[in-house]
Amino acid sequence: MSEPIVIVGSGVAGLSVALAAAPRPVLLVCRGPGEGEGSASRLAQGGFAAALDPADSVDAHVADTLTAGAQHNDVAMVRWLCAQAPARVEQLERLGVAFDRDAAGRRQLGREGGHHAARIVHAGGDATGAAIVRALVAQARQCGHVRRQAGVEVDALRLRGGQACGVRVRHADGSLQEIDAQAVVMATGGMGALFARTSNPPGADGAGLALALTAGAQARDLEFVQFHPTALDLPGRVNLPLITEALRGAGARLVDGAGRFLLDGVHPLGDLAPRDVVARTVWQAQQQGRRVLLDATRIEADWRARFPTVLAACLEHGIDPRTQPIPVTPAAHFHMGGIAVDADGRSSLPGLFAVGEVACNGVHGANRLASNSLLEGVACGWRLGTLLADVALPAAQGESTWCALGAGLPAVQLAQLRRLLWQAAGPLRSPAGLQDALQICENQVGEGWQARLAVAMLAAALRRPRSLGAHWCVENRSAPSQPLAIAS
Ligand code: SIN
């Protein structure tokens, strides 16, 4: 049997590549106990953006995507993605995703921050990502060309003559296995888990990005990290449940401890202003010592049908969002930057492809529009898989070498790094703070791939002294006032 294409990661992007690559054999390699488990896709609440309403248009979706992205986007890529969206919704329905419909059978279209129209479809209310992952996994399990290997870490890439042609995986018992590949696809998701507060799962730690960069692939836009304004504020915890923006689309309002509306006078779209605007407003209020809460008590909705995930997460922590405002905090949510790829997902390293959040094709610009990420994962995953199904993949020639990720930071240093990045490279940055953090990362945090990735991200942020999109960098930021330190 010919060597497979190895796909590292099994969120919606990796799964879409796998399905579309038929009949080429693919091997899905993932960390979780099964495909899709532990992926950020599975946690995605927001939905899937598509101009489906007759009063809406692809052009309007394009315009909102470019505005959110601060016009830093690759315009051709944005046009392609938004034009794809309605057909991708229909395709997902054919694959078994039941998008929510009203009593008359019409798809329900919601609104989220930065959208000037109702164009977000959901499945199972705020459990959209889980519904899409479930459908794609079910399909993949029926496909003879898809094999899977779960519960393993990819710790090295094999290069032959400068071409990626295999991976080495580490099993739970520490044993290593080498796997030859016709090509390697990174679909490992983002790096939110390198920040002290994130809506991402623990596995979104940037390992795939760090490995690709170590192997010599070029990066793009690493400085652009999106902070979601409303994660459940659980002090001392890194991975926080998301409180979906769809709640604000349904009328919830951000208030401070005194009940004052936080977004009044800040932006014409109010509570539905682009995510970076809302996240900064929440962050600044917190830095002034004000509590921030999301008041969703006036929403007239069947919570169990529309917001089951948020309801369950809040109830688990003793908050009933139907009657009590929800304490919220910004949290690292999405990395717009990543492995630089072309429109098809080719990286600068022959044989290495990337797709989804780990990749950067420029579509999200400096700040992703809400609910464009599941869309990107499915559309770009399908595009790459279709390419791989047919393309001639030249056999790698030459001596084989292994490029290893290397050791990670010990737990204490990793926690310090997370605090450092949160303080210096969070929703509000300053050149001095970034410089300070870079020096600490280089000299004090210790050896580990997470520190190398943080250095690359901080250096990219320092090369952009002016604010753009989610990278908000001001000369004299008002807080934090204490000098940066890695100690707690
Ligand atoms: C949300 O539900 O608020 C997040 C959606 C997204 O990340 O696009």
Side-chain angles (χ1 to χ4, degrees), residues 234-259:
L234 301 174
R237 287 242 321 235
V238 174
N239 305 98
L240 304 171
L242 187 72
I243 305 296
T244 178
E245 208 158 85
L247 280 163
R248 279 177 282 129
R253 306 277 318 257
L254 282 159
V255 294
D256 66 12

Side-chain angles (χ1 to χ4, degrees), residues 45-46 112 228 242 244-246 275 333 368-373:
Q45 296 179 13
E112 288 172 11
H228 196 288
L242 187 72
T244 178
E245 208 158 85
R275 217 167 257 180
H333 184 61
R368 173 175 65 76
L369 182 66
S371 287
N372 269 356
S373 60

Side-chain angles (χ1 to χ4, degrees), residues 220-459:
R220 176 171 173 189
D221 288 350
L222 290 185
E223 65 274 35
F224 295 114
V225 178
Q226 179 176 87
F227 297 90
H228 196 288
T230 59
L232 184 59
D233 192 3
L234 301 174
R237 287 242 321 235
V238 174
N239 305 98
L240 304 171
L242 187 72
I243 305 296
T244 178
E245 208 158 85
L247 280 163
R248 279 177 282 129
R253 306 277 318 257
L254 282 159
V255 294
D256 66 12
R260 285 182 296 246
F261 293 125
L262 213 63
L263 270 299
D264 271 4
V266 173
H267 191 278
L269 285 172
D271 283 81
L272 288 178
R275 217 167 257 180
D276 60 312
V277 176
V278 185
R280 275 196 299 280
T281 308
V282 175
W283 167 279
Q284 279 165 323
Q286 286 180 331
Q287 299 299 322
Q288 292 158 5
R290 291 151 75 199
R291 289 183 73 211
V292 180
L293 303 132
L294 184 70
D295 186 351
T297 56
R298 289 195 186 83
I299 290 184
E300 287 176 19
D302 175 355
W303 277 79
R304 292 199 187 276
R306 278 194 68 189
F307 304 111
T309 313
V310 171
L311 180 63
C314 289
L315 290 177
E316 190 187 328
H317 295 281
I319 300 148
D320 187 339
R322 296 165 295 193
T323 54
Q324 291 169 278
I326 310 165
V328 290
T329 177
H333 184 61
F334 188 87
H335 196 193
M336 278 69 70
I339 303 168
V341 294
D342 68 9
D344 289 324
R346 283 184 201 86
S347 80
S348 62
L349 185 69
L352 181 71
F353 298 80
V355 69
E357 191 174 346
V358 71
C360 178
N361 56 31
V363 77
H364 302 303
N367 197 13
R368 173 175 65 76
L369 182 66
S371 287
N372 269 356
S373 60
L374 289 174
L375 165 61
E376 187 212 358
V378 171
C380 291
W382 218 269
R383 177 170 177 161
L384 174 55
T386 307
L387 172 99
L388 292 174
D390 290 332
V391 75
L393 294 166
Q397 308 283 343
E399 203 180 320
S400 154
T401 54
W402 284 100
C403 175
L405 181 60
L409 289 171
V412 172
Q413 279 92 331
L414 181 56
Q416 291 169 338
L417 179 74
R418 288 188 176 124
R419 284 194 293 274
L420 184 69
L421 291 184
W422 182 243
Q423 259 187 301
L428 209 57
R429 304 167 171 184
S430 72
L434 290 166
Q435 186 63 52
D436 228 6
L438 182 64
Q439 272 169 15
I440 293 170
C441 255
E442 284 176 333
N443 304 318
Q444 293 177 45
V445 168
E447 296 281 315
W449 60 262
Q450 297 95 333
R452 288 201 314 272
L453 183 56
V455 164
M457 200 260 283
L458 290 165

